[in-house]
Amino acid sequence: VITKDKIKVHDSVYLDFEGKIISSEKMEKGKGVFVMSGKYIGNEGKIDLVNDSNVLIKLKEKEEKVSLPKEHVIVL
């Protein structure tokens, strides 16, 4: 059972149509992400490193690594 106390800021949460938590994904190394704002908006990639305020992401299509604020990405 997933409870609110197990979910941290910047984790992704999947809800059913009634608003109940189905699952969650933690922001951690190896997870897929979607960039939802900033210079790289619309790109997908994988997390290479997570620190206090940024994530280092290896972009899928550009084959480069970029450091972005956590607020600019969502975990898939």
Side-chain angles (χ1 to χ4, degrees):
V1 176
I2 300 169
T3 59
K4 291 179 186 178
D5 59 324
K6 292 183 180 180
I7 300 168
K8 296 181 181 178
V9 175
H10 302 297
D11 291 349
S12 290
V13 177
Y14 295 92
L15 306 172
D16 65 12
F17 290 108
E18 296 173 357
K20 294 180 184 173
I21 299 171
I22 298 172
S23 65
S24 68
E25 293 292 333
K26 296 196 175 299
M27 185 172 281
E28 59 189 11
K29 184 176 179 174
K31 297 286 184 164
V33 294
F34 178 78
V35 182
M36 55 185 194
S37 63
K39 179 180 176 181
Y40 297 97
I41 190 170
N43 284 286
E44 290 185 37
K46 287 203 180 233
I47 297 174
D48 203 41
L49 178 70
V50 179
N51 66 29
D52 292 337
S53 59
N54 292 330
V55 288
L56 182 65
I57 298 170
K58 181 177 182 193
L59 296 176
K60 192 182 227 180
E61 299 196 12
K62 298 188 183 230
E63 295 298 324
E64 65 180 290
K65 290 184 181 180
V66 295
S67 180
L68 300 172
K70 288 180 177 180
E71 294 81 20
H72 288 208
V73 299
I74 186 166
V75 183
L76 302 175

